[in-house]
Amino acid sequence: MKTVFVTVGTTSFDELIVSITSPETVQALKARGYERLVLQVGRGSLVPAADSCPHVTLEAYRFKDSIAEDIEQADLVISHAGAGSCLESLGAGKSLLVVVNDKLMNNHQLEMARQLHMDSHLLYCTCSTLTETLRAMDLSVLQPFLPGQPKNFAHFLDKALGVQ
């Protein structure tokens, strides 16, 4: 069963949870063959019920000791733009769609997502463009992010944050 894993990390990002469970977005996922949706909702106020998304199998939880198994089982990871969530997903070799929280001030996450996108490691969007991004995305353009190269990652962070 093709699975999408959605993570907001340790934060609250209710707008992403509302967007991903909307009928339009669920239909876009179904059109791409995804049948199972696993949501890690963090500190948010929403924990959708299993029957709240007809046409897909839905599981939702706040936290686990590790999300590595959920990432491993996913065919697509949709994540907030936190560095830990992004790097864990990319390190597992998963297709990654990052949803930037455009409500955050001084959003360094946008710079990181933009740089990883320019390097063809992920796709990114906002909640308002999520459904259309899912409809139009081409995951075949994504390139692996090679883990275990601290010097390259430090260089990448310098580039993303404009330190160079």
Side-chain angles (χ1 to χ4, degrees):
M1 183 179 307
K2 277 180 77 174
T3 299
V4 176
F5 175 57
V6 180
T7 178
V8 304
T10 59
T11 66
S12 170
F13 194 2
D14 285 342
E15 187 181 6
L16 173 54
I17 302 306
V18 168
S19 296
I20 197 69
T21 57
S22 74
E24 301 81 19
T25 302
V26 170
Q27 185 55 44
L29 291 171
K30 283 292 288 181
R32 291 197 159 262
Y34 297 106
E35 299 174 335
R36 182 171 171 249
L37 188 55
V38 179
L39 309 177
Q40 182 270 317
V41 302
R43 292 181 302 179
S45 61
L46 301 173
V47 182
D51 62 354
S52 64
C53 283
H55 315 299
V56 294
T57 301
L58 176 69
E59 301 165 34
Y61 64 89
R62 288 194 181 282
F63 298 104
K64 284 184 180 175
D65 289 339
S66 171
I67 61 171
E69 187 177 319
D70 289 314
I71 291 171
E72 191 56 42
Q73 292 177 355
D75 297 286
L76 171 66
V77 176
I78 298 176
S79 176
H80 74 125
S85 297
C86 290
L87 292 175
E88 188 170 359
S89 299
L90 291 171
K94 294 300 172 172
S95 297
L96 178 60
L97 172 59
V98 166
V99 181
V100 175
N101 186 345
D102 54 4
K103 306 281 189 284
L104 296 177
M105 300 300 278
N106 302 318
N107 198 350
H108 67 282
Q109 293 182 351
L110 175 59
E111 286 82 23
M112 189 184 75
R114 187 177 289 142
Q115 186 62 52
L116 284 166
H117 173 75
M118 288 185 341
D119 293 341
S120 299
H121 298 305
L122 57 77
L123 301 175
Y124 77 99
C125 64
T126 62
C127 288
S128 62
T129 60
L130 176 60
T131 303
E132 189 50 44
T133 300
L134 287 167
R135 287 183 184 134
M137 69 183 180
D138 179 3
L139 298 176
S140 71
V141 304
L142 298 178
Q143 301 295 314
F145 184 83
L146 302 175
Q149 299 175 345
K151 188 181 248 185
N152 289 350
F153 183 65
H155 175 70
F156 160 76
L157 277 181
D158 288 346
K159 230 167 56 172
L161 300 175
V163 177
Q164 290 185 306

